[in-house]
Amino acid sequence: MNADASSPAAPKPAARRKTTAPKDAQFQVAVIGAGFSGLCMAIQLKLAKINSFVVFEKADDIGGTWRDNLYPGCACDVPSHLYSYSFEPNPNWSRMFAPQQEIWDYLRHCGRKYGVTEHMRFNAEVASAAFDTDHHYWRVMLKSGETVTAKIVVSGIGALSIPAYPKLPGIENFKGTAFHSARWRNDYDFDGKRVAVIGTGASAIQFVPAIAPRVKHLDLYQRTPPWVISKPDRRMTAVEKTLFKFLPATQKLFRGGIYWWMESRVLGLAVDPRAMKLAELYARLYINRCIKDPKLRRKVTPDYTLGCKRILMSDEYYPALTRDNVDVITTGIREVTARGLITEDGVERPADAIIYGTGFQVSDPIGPMKIVGAEGKEVRETWKDSGMEAYLGVSVSGFPNFFLLLGPNTGLGHTSIVFMIEAQVNYVMQAIKTLTKHRLRSLDVKPEVQARFNTKLQKRLDEAVWSAGGCKSWYLDEFGKNRTLWPSFTFEYWMRTRNFEARKYDFEYRRG
Ligand code: NAP
């Protein structure tokens, strides 16, 4: 802990108002979500011997996105030795980029190993949480109607959990089978079927090559082509696995090498988009190597700077598009009928099934929950005019003892999000320890600190490729502002979250 944390500044005048005697909350901490971030939080609480916590999970198992996305070909596009907790290396990853089932198994293993599964309440969806200013704790209400109190709330619900469906005229009239990539129908038999896929994002480029050989015909409806580069995937050898197991330092070195390789991408993404030109040339050559038909090449070649949208990796995607039974349709969809889709040029293409690879509702890190702060205001209301903002993506002014994991501007377009999660969890743990050590009732980030932080952040983001690269992506909000991504190297974020800075917070002492 830094010097600031051990010598908090004087409380603000407003914080000195008289309150009723404190009544203890049922839990010290309530964590929302049992995906990568919520699980990490639970493990660190347990390791710090804080046992008074509960994890609410709306589904029936750990895993978040890795539990929900079951489509064929689903795998991570960040190397697994980095896309895993630093405190729980797995020497047994089967590939550089592990498939979904392995990642899900890894998370379940972590839950069991660290004894946090017993703190989890499954099928328990949080509907709302409101800060009780008399008792200085949160009232967390579940969808079932049950209310639980907790001194601290940590939300780790992830940004990509609610499927987004396109608003297409007639969509409800379709008589065939239709489902979203994140709600995959494993019982659907693709053999001999005509399938329409809408979307060409990170999910579609994984499942299209997996189903293309099985279907009779596949129409891929593309609105914007993604940049797709070769994926340096391979099996991990028995020698590597043995080395990693018996000489853990070698796995650390391997992880470090991956970290710096991935981190170097920031130079083009956020430092100077012109640096992307070389990578773009490489990506164009890759398209040319995989696709011989000039018409198809033109269709799949983006007209925006590489990196503006997430850079995708696949060795199977472009070859799948060259198959005789696959057509890439770039004319916009006009409507959906009972038997298929009609494009703007009036052509109707029949389909037995429509698969929506159309991504997620990326609104804010609160999802459908209602979070009410100290002034009785909902968090969404405070974000209405400015767009969503937090300090370090973790603390929101006016919401004492409330912390976000993967909050505003802490997403990444270039490397492992698990690195950010660990940095945030470390920060929140220090905040919790500060609360306990100084017998504080609450910590609330100062509004001017949050405002200054976001002004600087947005200035940096204006010049980055996500805003300047000439594309439209879910990284930008309705005001055209990037409220999603961290604008720099992840080690900068790590350095900024290494020590909890109590002087940036207003706080209130416990009485008696
Ligand atoms: P996505 O990247 O948001 O892609 C959605 C696709 O659907 C885009 O091609 C989009 O076109 C298209 N689309 C959306 N609405 C449409 C409409 N009305 N008509 C036609 N096309 C429409 O979604 P995703 O592929 O599910 O991936 C979402 C995120 O999940 C990724 O960015 C990534 O962060 C994460 N992910 C990660 C991995 C991994 O391996 N780590 C794998 C899968 C997903 P436009 O481009 O024109 O909007």
Side-chain angles (χ1 to χ4, degrees), residues 430-476:
Q430 289 193 52
I432 294 173
K433 285 175 190 166
T434 303
L435 275 162
T436 314
K437 185 175 168 190
H438 298 288
R439 295 178 59 74
L440 302 178
R441 287 171 137 197
S442 60
L443 278 166
D444 187 4
V445 71
K446 295 176 179 171
E448 64 276 17
V449 168
Q450 181 176 312
R452 219 171 21 243
F453 172 80
N454 281 282
T455 306
K456 283 190 189 158
L457 195 83
Q458 285 305 324
K459 219 166 149 213
R460 292 170 81 176
L461 279 162
D462 278 349
E463 283 139 38
V465 67
W466 308 293
S467 301
C471 78
K472 250 173 100 179
S473 77
W474 61 263
Y475 294 153
L476 308 182

Side-chain angles (χ1 to χ4, degrees), residues 132-190:
D132 181 327
T133 43
D134 286 338
H135 298 107
H136 285 256
Y137 57 50
W138 285 87
R139 290 183 186 280
V140 180
M141 189 180 271
L142 304 185
K143 265 217 160 142
S144 62
E146 184 190 350
T147 299
V148 168
T149 57
K151 189 172 165 63
I152 296 150
V153 170
V154 184
S155 174
I157 67 164
L160 305 172
S161 64
I162 307 167
Y165 294 86
K167 289 183 182 64
L168 294 170
I171 197 165
E172 66 288 352
N173 299 331
F174 184 62
K175 292 273 184 280
T177 304
F179 53 91
H180 191 277
S181 60
R183 299 288 179 268
W184 198 263
R185 286 269 307 268
N186 273 319
D187 59 335
Y188 187 74
D189 182 8
F190 283 95

Side-chain angles (χ1 to χ4, degrees), residues 34 96 118 126 174 252 261-262 373 413 421 479 488:
M96 277 288 280
E118 65 215 44
V126 172
F174 184 62
K252 270 199 175 138
W261 160 52
M262 304 293 281
I421 290 171
F479 308 107
S488 177

Side-chain angles (χ1 to χ4, degrees), residues 25-74:
Q26 285 164 274
F27 295 98
Q28 192 174 357
V29 188
V31 181
I32 310 174
F36 245 114
S37 53
L39 179 61
C40 186
M41 189 70 226
I43 291 172
Q44 292 307 326
L45 285 167
K46 198 79 185 172
L47 290 175
K49 305 208 169 4
I50 298 173
N51 280 306
S52 173
F53 73 92
V54 60
V55 181
F56 294 114
E57 167 55 54
K58 70 174 179 189
D60 59 2
D61 203 348
I62 283 177
T65 196
W66 298 104
R67 176 203 58 228
D68 291 345
N69 284 276
L70 302 166
Y71 58 77
C74 183

